[in-house]
């Protein structure tokens, strides 16, 4: 059990490292830092954010001219957020290790696993609502993880298809789970019955594109994962710039394929 848990924690750390690596790749500010040629001593009037970005670049280096595996070998000690599990798995044979003040949730191993709602409802009988909300937000970590991969896939998709309509890019990036298999990205623009899905997908693309920009700019500051920006960044993804796409795919489509495969796994959709 301990070996399996250790392997799962390592896989989680590597996945977070790969997300960090990819958000650095798409960050406009991090790309600008890679092109910065300045004096040995930074100008006094340089903003604190720009100093942080340059410091982050000096720490993690160029992420566009090397594959993830090579980069990860040199950055295995990334300061990813981690904590000890709050839930311990105890089998029936481990009853002797249960203390008098422990609280157990009984689950039958031959039944379907409980839903998140069922778990939260059970825990609400033990702890006050404020603590349950904190646990609920941690449980939803899986949804946040899936959204980050979707954000990446969207940016890579739009970089490969800069002239495509937003709803088509969103459909290709599988942004909305319930639209997968229903909204065809290659369908005619005025296909009857798709109006609602196209409008909704367009709004989702605009929202997720901004989310990807925010996360990538925070990553460039050395903060990950974090979506909320302390201030409005005066930058954007320039999909019309041919160099944007050529930089991202200079070593091939490995990271695009990785994002696509991961989104497919998380949405349980086979490509």
């Amino acid at each position: 059990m301990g070996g399996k848990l250790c392997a799962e924690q390592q896989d989680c750390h590597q996945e977070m490292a790969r997300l960090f690596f990819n958000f650095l790749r798409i960050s406009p500010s991090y790309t600008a830092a890679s092109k910065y040629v300045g004096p040995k001593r930074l100008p006094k009037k340089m903003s604190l954010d720009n100093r942080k970005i340059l410091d982050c670049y000096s720490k993690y280096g160029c992420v566009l001219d090397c594959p993830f595996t090579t980069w990860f070998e040199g950055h295995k000690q990334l300061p990813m957020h981690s904590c000890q599990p709050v839930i311990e798995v105890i089998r029936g044979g481990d009853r002797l290790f249960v203390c008098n003040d422990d609280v157990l949730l009984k689950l039958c191993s031959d039944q379907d696993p409980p839903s998140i709602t069922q778990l939260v409802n059970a825990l609400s009988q033990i702890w006050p609502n404020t603590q349950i909300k904190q646990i609920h937000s941690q449980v939803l970590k899986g949804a946040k993880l899936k959204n980050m991969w979707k954000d990446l896939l969207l940016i890579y998709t739009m970089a490969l298809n800069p002239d495509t309509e937003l709803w088509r890019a969103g459909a290709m990036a599988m942004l909305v789970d319930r639209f997968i298999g229903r909204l065809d990205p290659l369908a005619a623009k005025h296909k009857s019955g798709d109006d609602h899905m196209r409008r909704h997908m367009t709004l989702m693309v605009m929202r997720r594109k901004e989310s990807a920009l925010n996360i990538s700019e925070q990553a460039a500051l050395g903060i990950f994962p974090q979506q909320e920006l302390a201030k409005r960044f005066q930058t954007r993804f320039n999909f019309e710039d041919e160099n944007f796409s050529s930089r991202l795919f200079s070593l091939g489509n490995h990271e695009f394929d990785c994002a696509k495969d991961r989104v497919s796994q998380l949405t349980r959709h086979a490509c």
Side-chain angles (χ1 to χ4, degrees):
M1 181 68 185
K4 180 180 178 182
L5 178 60
C6 181
E8 290 176 350
Q9 290 175 337
Q10 176 61 28
D11 290 343
C12 179
H13 177 78
Q14 184 163 337
E15 180 168 28
M16 292 302 293
R18 189 152 205 162
L19 282 167
F20 182 52
F21 173 79
N22 274 278
F23 276 107
L24 289 179
R25 294 183 87 241
I26 67 173
S27 168
S29 294
Y30 198 82
T31 300
S34 68
K35 299 179 179 180
Y36 178 77
V37 179
K40 294 182 179 179
R41 181 175 296 180
L42 298 179
K44 292 183 178 180
K45 293 184 178 180
M46 179 176 286
S47 70
L48 178 60
D49 283 344
N50 286 341
R51 290 175 181 272
K52 288 181 178 179
I53 292 170
L54 290 174
D55 180 63
C56 184
Y57 181 80
S58 66
K59 185 181 299 184
Y60 299 114
C62 186
V63 292
L64 294 171
D65 59 2
C66 68
F68 169 73
T69 51
T70 302
W71 179 86
F72 183 63
E73 283 298 317
H75 300 88
K76 283 187 174 180
Q77 303 302 319
L78 288 169
M80 298 297 172
H81 174 71
S82 62
C83 59
Q84 295 298 321
V86 296
I87 299 176
E88 183 181 0
V89 178
I90 297 179
R91 306 292 180 184
D94 300 327
R95 293 188 296 274
L96 294 177
F97 297 98
V98 178
C99 301
N100 291 334
D101 57 353
D102 287 340
V103 178
L104 306 182
L105 298 179
K106 183 181 177 182
L107 303 174
C108 187
S109 60
D110 59 359
Q111 293 180 348
D112 293 335
S115 66
I116 291 177
T117 301
Q118 290 173 323
L119 283 174
V120 170
N121 289 338
L123 292 173
S124 65
Q125 301 176 36
I126 306 169
W127 290 296
N129 289 335
T130 52
Q131 289 179 291
I132 289 299
K133 289 180 180 178
Q134 294 175 358
I135 293 175
H136 195 215
S137 65
Q138 294 174 11
V139 171
L140 290 178
K141 180 172 59 177
K144 296 177 181 178
L145 180 74
K146 180 169 69 173
N147 284 336
M148 284 196 290
W149 279 114
K150 286 187 175 185
D151 290 350
L152 282 173
L153 181 57
L154 175 65
I155 301 306
Y156 283 130
T157 299
M158 295 182 70
L160 282 173
N161 307 274
D163 298 323
T164 194
E165 294 165 282
L166 296 183
W167 69 268
R168 296 185 192 275
M172 287 188 280
M174 298 177 278
L175 278 193
V176 181
D177 288 2
R178 66 181 184 274
F179 291 171
I180 298 175
R182 295 176 56 201
L183 183 59
D184 183 3
L186 302 179
K189 182 176 180 180
H190 300 295
K191 181 183 176 182
S192 177
D194 287 355
D195 291 354
H196 169 72
M197 288 191 290
R198 286 197 297 267
R199 288 194 296 269
H200 183 80
M201 186 64 80
T202 299
L203 293 175
M204 284 299 298
V205 169
M206 295 171 65
R207 182 186 303 175
R208 301 316 308 177
K209 185 174 66 170
E210 182 178 1
S211 169
L213 179 63
N214 290 347
I215 297 175
S216 69
E217 292 298 83
Q218 288 284 42
L221 290 169
I223 306 170
F224 185 82
Q226 179 71 31
Q227 180 174 339
E228 293 77 16
L229 287 176
K231 66 176 183 178
R232 195 74 173 178
F233 271 68
Q234 300 298 316
T235 186
R236 65 184 180 89
F237 294 121
N238 190 1
F239 298 107
E240 294 77 18
D241 181 7
E242 293 182 357
N243 292 329
F244 181 70
S245 177
S246 62
R247 286 194 302 268
L248 289 181
F249 301 103
S250 60
L251 296 181
N253 291 8
H254 304 297
E255 296 309 313
F256 168 75
D257 292 337
C258 175
K260 189 174 182 179
D261 290 343
R262 197 67 184 101
V263 171
S264 297
Q265 293 171 2
L266 293 171
T267 58
R268 296 179 175 84
H269 173 73
C271 293

